[in-house]
Amino acid sequence: MVDVREWSSADAARLLRIPGQGDDKYSRGVVALRTGSNAYPGAAVLGVEAAWRAGAGYVRFVGEGRAADAVIARRPETVAAADIGRTRVGAWVIGSGTDAGDRSPDEERALRDILNGPAPVVVDAGALDLALTASAPLVVTPHAGEFARLRELLNLPPDGTGDRVVDVAETAHVLGRTVLLKGSTTLVAASDGARVLSVACAPAWLATAGAGDVLAGVIGALLAAAPDASVAEAAAAAAWLHGHAATLASGSATGAHGHPIVALDVAEALPAAIEDLLS
């Protein structure tokens, strides 16, 4: 039997950490991202932007080429380099804007090191296949197509039962990790598969390219800022915040039809969404 609970604004507010006078950039949360590629540099920009806008105190981008150049052009506050150096990382974001088929052996080794390290990891898109052998705390964030492929890798029927709650709970249980299944209602299944958090606050305008990259950055920021929070609850809080930011950006907060948005609009609306949540 799966326990399903609707995630509320009050639940999300409880997971947000308000900085105090004694905080510094490290205590506010250090997020490291190994995302994007020469083919999809925008994914790196969106994740980095979202991590900053969601309250991270320090954002590190690990990468080179077009992705690193685009990140620094958009967010010069970001520390970008080919490796992590001695930076203390509170949470990682990997996989957004990458393709497993183009992964080099060196890249795979680096990702496996991250996935077997001490810090929690947000695993998106092109890194989902590596989650099966990870030891770090993590949340995988597939959309519907990626979810079917993930289930196939786990030797589960890719089409599932037709019941999203049952399917995401089963997948989390078999994987042994938190699974966030994106959709008009986002479902977050805890790693034991016994509990599913349902997040249904996003407008339909959020169905736009790059929105998942933004969500990954928000999850990373919340995980880094609240290391004692459960991964499932941090992911659900990030999904709520992401959806509310989309509501504000699209002008649909008062029940109006609103208007089209792009993913960067959602990232830019995150500070206002946080202010709303804490007011």
Side-chain angles (χ1 to χ4, degrees):
M1 186 70 176
V2 180
D3 175 29
V4 183
R5 184 164 72 85
E6 184 174 343
W7 193 256
S8 70
S9 59
D11 292 323
R14 180 170 50 81
L15 269 290
L16 288 184
R17 184 177 180 276
I18 303 172
Q21 293 301 315
D23 277 305
D24 59 24
K25 63 185 177 183
Y26 296 107
S27 63
R28 287 190 58 197
V30 178
V31 182
L33 298 95
R34 195 176 183 111
T35 56
S37 60
N38 284 330
Y40 304 106
V45 174
L46 292 167
V48 165
E49 179 84 11
W52 279 120
R53 297 289 189 179
Y58 186 156
V59 179
R60 182 82 184 237
F61 179 75
V62 181
E64 300 175 295
R66 291 182 68 204
D69 292 344
V71 164
I72 292 303
R74 171 69 189 182
R75 287 266 61 97
E77 306 92 338
T78 309
V79 178
D83 58 59
I84 196 62
R86 299 175 63 185
T87 304
R88 297 174 289 173
V89 176
W92 278 95
V93 180
I94 64 172
S96 306
T98 68
D99 185 337
D102 296 331
R103 188 190 301 143
S104 70
D106 286 345
E107 178 69 6
E108 179 157 340
R109 279 192 293 272
L111 292 174
R112 288 193 183 279
D113 284 346
I114 292 167
L115 286 163
N116 290 293
V121 188
V122 183
V123 186
D124 192 27
L128 287 168
D129 62 305
L130 300 177
L132 276 66
T133 56
S135 62
L138 57 87
V139 52
V140 299
T141 60
H143 56 55
E146 293 165 341
F147 184 62
R149 291 193 291 276
L150 177 62
R151 285 179 60 86
E152 193 168 15
L153 289 171
L154 292 168
N155 295 315
L156 296 171
D159 293 335
T161 66
D163 184 324
R164 293 176 75 239
V165 169
V166 171
D167 293 342
V168 74
E170 179 185 43
T171 305
H173 175 70
V174 173
L175 182 62
R177 295 291 188 272
T178 298
V179 177
L180 181 150
L181 176 57
K182 301 168 190 172
S184 56
T185 295
T186 292
L187 300 176
V188 183
S191 57
D192 60 2
R195 181 176 59 142
V196 172
L197 305 174
S198 175
V199 188
C201 63
W205 295 116
L206 186 54
T208 186
D213 305 327
V214 173
L215 176 59
V218 180
I219 300 171
L222 266 59
L223 284 172
D228 295 329
S230 83
V231 174
E233 291 193 347
W240 193 96
L241 192 60
H242 181 248
H244 188 56
T247 297
L248 297 177
S250 64
S252 53
T254 59
H257 291 301
H259 52 74
I261 53 175
V262 295
L264 196 56
D265 296 335
V266 180
E268 291 177 339
L270 284 165
I274 292 170
E275 183 179 23
D276 259 8
L277 193 58
L278 297 177
S279 62

